[in-house]
Amino acid sequence: MCIRDSFSGLADLYARHRPGYPPAALDLIAGLFTEDASGPDALLVDVGCGTGISTRLFAARGLRVLGIEPNDEMRARAEAAPPEGATPPPEYRRGTAEATGLPDGVAAGVLAAQAFHWFDAPAALAEFHRILRPGGAVALLWNERDEADLCTAAYGAVMRSAPDAAAVEVPRGRAGEALLHSPLFREGRRVCFGNGQALDEEGLLGRAFSASYAPRQPEAAAAFADALRRVFARFQQAGKVSLCYQTSVYLARRREGS
């Protein structure tokens, strides 16, 4: 299943229950994108932007941001969301990581937040290189469960019980390495930050069912929900559980002459 179809029907859950990103990670990325950018028209392209969670966060930091999203439902949810005081507000366009439809050299930066593992990595990196200005940067961003925490480990075990979990979780864990080893980019590095999310029972179920691989057939979905409720009952304190994440940021700059 391609990214365009994988999140159909999930836009509301995704927008309401996905975690944000640590401010320090966002500041690092924003600083990289603006370091060599020339003028206020410098553009950040957020590829696979989904419901616009990351798009809005960077627009709120004063960047001009264009979200690229192939799923019409997710993109419509992004367009409908308040821009949270961003000036200028983010814009959105239909496209894919491998074919954004943008001109050569238009972007000061390219971002893929919680999305790059869905892309054809060589084709996407070639497209990123094409649309970046000289000196432009790429950032790949993921929240990954930190299962050193017992509650997060128990939640992770339930998530891995979904029949299609391995098809997403295994490639996601190593997807960022493609940027670090690409001959199209230089100065590749990975930086990690701690992150967390406090959830009530509804939020825990919403977070789990926002995953593309969460079961959707009624019987399997009911069993999945029951397992999540048991995790919540075991670990909740004052009606909330905490999920722990490591936020991984992969960074690199465009290599010239490639």
Side-chain angles (χ1 to χ4, degrees):
M1 184 181 291
C2 70
I3 187 173
R4 183 181 62 250
D5 303 319
S6 295
F7 292 97
S8 294
L10 300 180
D12 183 60
L13 287 175
Y14 199 102
R16 290 170 55 202
H17 300 297
R18 285 291 174 122
Y21 302 99
L26 301 176
D27 290 343
L28 172 67
I29 295 168
L32 186 74
F33 287 153
T34 57
E35 197 172 287
D36 293 335
S38 55
D41 64 334
L43 178 68
L44 167 60
V45 179
D46 185 3
V47 181
C49 68
T51 61
I53 294 171
S54 53
T55 319
R56 291 187 295 276
L57 287 170
F58 283 99
R61 281 166 164 73
L63 298 174
R64 188 166 71 93
V65 190
L66 172 64
I68 299 291
E69 173 56 44
N71 184 291
D72 295 338
E73 180 188 359
M74 299 284 275
R75 193 175 63 258
R77 181 62 188 251
E79 291 170 338
E84 300 175 7
T87 305
E91 299 177 10
Y92 298 94
R93 181 180 299 184
R94 194 175 197 277
T96 67
E98 301 82 7
T100 61
L102 298 176
D104 293 356
V106 72
V110 175
L111 169 71
Q114 213 73 27
F116 188 79
H117 54 286
W118 288 103
F119 305 161
D120 177 327
L125 291 174
E127 178 72 349
F128 296 175
H129 186 272
R130 183 187 69 78
I131 67 174
L132 278 169
R133 297 176 175 183
V138 172
L140 311 179
L141 178 64
W142 281 275
N143 282 314
E144 294 290 337
R145 292 188 300 270
D146 181 357
E147 296 194 10
D149 172 73
L150 293 178
C151 176
T152 307
Y155 171 83
V158 176
M159 296 304 295
R160 287 189 294 275
S161 73
D164 297 326
V168 175
E169 294 214 353
V170 172
R172 183 178 62 202
R174 58 173 184 262
E177 297 294 319
L179 176 63
L180 304 187
H181 299 301
S182 172
L184 299 176
F185 296 90
R186 57 183 171 85
E187 301 174 20
R189 58 188 170 121
R190 179 190 180 202
V191 186
C192 294
F193 302 84
N195 196 16
Q197 187 181 23
L199 298 164
D200 60 15
E201 185 176 81
E202 179 188 0
L204 187 71
L205 268 68
R207 172 67 185 90
F209 278 98
S210 74
S212 62
Y213 55 86
R216 303 194 199 186
Q217 295 299 319
E219 185 174 342
F224 190 71
D226 286 344
L228 291 163
R229 291 189 183 99
R230 289 193 293 272
V231 170
F232 183 84
R234 178 182 172 192
F235 290 101
Q236 68 87 20
Q237 294 185 1
K240 294 284 184 71
V241 295
S242 294
L243 296 183
C244 296
Y245 302 99
Q246 282 289 317
T247 300
S248 293
V249 183
Y250 293 81
L251 304 167
R253 287 205 178 275
R254 185 185 192 275
R255 188 183 297 277
E256 307 314 315
S258 298

